[in-house]
Amino acid sequence: MTAPARGRGRPRDPETDAAILRAALEVFVERGIEGLSIEQVAKRAGVGKLTVYRRWATKEELVSQAIQTIVGEELTFSLDDLDALSPYEITERALPAAAELAASPAYRALIARILGSAVSHPSLMAVTWERYILPRRRLAAYLIERARQEGLLAPDADADVLIDMMVGAVMYRALQPGPPDTAEMLRYLRAVYRQAGLLPPEPS
Amino acid sequence: MTAPARGRGRPRDPETDAAILRAALEVFVERGIEGLSIEQVAKRAGVGKLTVYRRWATKEELVSQAIQTIVGEELTFSLDDLDALSPYEITERALPAAAELAASPAYRALIARILGSAVSHPSLMAVTWERYILPRRRLAAYLIERARQEGLLAPDADADVLIDMMVGAVMYRALQPGPPDTAEMLRYLRAVYRQAGLLPPEPS
């Protein structure tokens, strides 16, 4: 059932890691963080539980990284990219992948499980926040600061509040009855970014 | 264990109803909608399960109404009230109760459970949406339409999107690590409403 202890320190197998992350996502969506154990994930992935523990110290770390394999793909900007484009161009470039992600069943299921565990089991949100959400918020805050300097946003616009309004709206919309398909989510995201001031007003 | 069938149609006892709703809230916060049964709620409330079924046909109806006893209290506006006040006055009047609610542990726990079950058990969101959320959104949309007519909002502002951004931000903020106390939530709500255009800009 368990990997030999002498395996510790051995170079990791990317395919094994990928199988473990896939299994972790599946079990997380099925049972939530409270119902997930490293043992179940190891069994689902067909590896020994020490193989999992060698790589991830806690189930929260494991699930956080597994979530990132789904939701991290549209984070393709560096600060250099941000500087080379206008705020509107950055938004336009980010929208198609964001719409596809936000309209996917996998995103809805993950968001529900993450938010759903935030009070009863706060450590998953804490790890995910620190490791994955904060770095992306810093990029978004940088974009918002540039947009403010260019006069696109009000001088008193609060970056944290604005990010919460944009992200919060998309998560809430994804969990409402009748979730949108990709085309409808793209329309919705445009309306959110326009309302936030990060896309130009509609021509009237 | 069960109430006599001849009780059907008898005037209901408000104290019994209140005890059932309290018990439903407790069990919902502890176990979520998937882990809740009418039997457990009846036992917790000290009544027979037919007493519960006589009043609520499904556990989703019961839990939706129980949630409403917590989150419905700040909905104290009629359309006549809305017409008698300016949009800024309406927002100002609604803010203190909204901040107290959004900063309460009960709100955080409920929001997590409601959003958390939206994908795995969508019927709770569906019932709550239809019965409680939509009527409040209609009031908010009316306020937004008035604010647009008075030139406070952009002509292309989309009421549904704006409501999602405000409500989504508050729910997301409440579930982030380090949830705000009432004073901090009031400051946060002001920033959200200001960003939305439903409070005036800060004096600079």
Side-chain angles (χ1 to χ4, degrees), chain A residues 95-173:
Chain A
L95 280 179
E100 194 163 347
L101 171 65
S104 68
Y107 174 84
R108 299 180 65 231
L110 287 175
I111 290 298
R113 288 295 188 195
I114 296 166
L115 297 178
S117 71
V119 173
S120 58
H121 194 102
S123 55
L124 176 67
M125 175 65 95
V127 168
T128 306
W129 185 264
E130 198 58 44
R131 188 93 26 115
Y132 300 109
I133 301 178
L134 270 188
R136 303 171 76 185
R137 288 179 75 99
R138 285 190 202 105
L139 276 185
Y142 184 81
L143 168 64
I144 287 168
E145 180 54 34
R146 272 198 53 204
R148 185 165 37 203
Q149 284 174 10
E150 297 184 18
L152 304 177
L153 303 179
D156 66 350
D158 179 317
D160 278 321
V161 168
L162 202 50
I163 294 169
D164 286 352
M165 290 176 78
M166 294 189 288
V167 176
V170 175
M171 295 193 304
Y172 187 32
R173 182 66 192 89

Side-chain angles (χ1 to χ4, degrees), chain B residues 6-117:
Chain B
R6 63 189 159 82
R8 195 174 282 269
R10 189 176 51 183
R12 287 199 315 267
D13 173 4
E15 283 181 30
T16 301
D17 281 6
I20 294 169
L21 291 170
R22 271 197 309 274
L25 266 186
E26 286 176 17
V27 177
F28 177 58
V29 165
E30 287 167 22
R31 311 186 186 187
I33 191 71
E34 290 162 290
L36 177 146
S37 70
I38 294 274
E39 284 76 1
Q40 289 161 350
V41 173
K43 193 173 172 189
R44 180 83 57 110
V47 302
K49 67 178 178 180
L50 282 187
T51 306
V52 182
Y53 276 120
R54 199 177 292 133
R55 177 91 167 81
W56 294 279
T58 66
K59 66 179 182 178
E60 289 81 8
E61 304 261 354
L62 169 60
V63 169
S64 270
Q65 189 173 347
I67 291 165
Q68 190 63 8
T69 64
I70 299 282
V71 304
E73 309 212 341
E74 93 280 22
L75 180 61
T76 51
F77 291 104
S78 67
L79 286 180
D80 286 346
D81 290 333
L82 288 181
D83 283 336
L85 298 167
S86 77
Y88 289 166
E89 285 169 334
I90 293 165
T91 302
E92 281 292 352
R93 191 181 281 199
L95 280 178
E100 193 162 347
L101 171 65
S104 68
Y107 174 84
R108 298 179 65 231
L110 287 175
I111 290 301
R113 287 296 188 193
I114 296 167
L115 297 179
S117 70

Side-chain angles (χ1 to χ4, degrees), chain A residues 40-51:
Chain A
Q40 289 162 351
V41 172
K43 193 171 172 189
R44 180 83 56 110
V47 302
K49 67 179 177 179
L50 282 187
T51 305

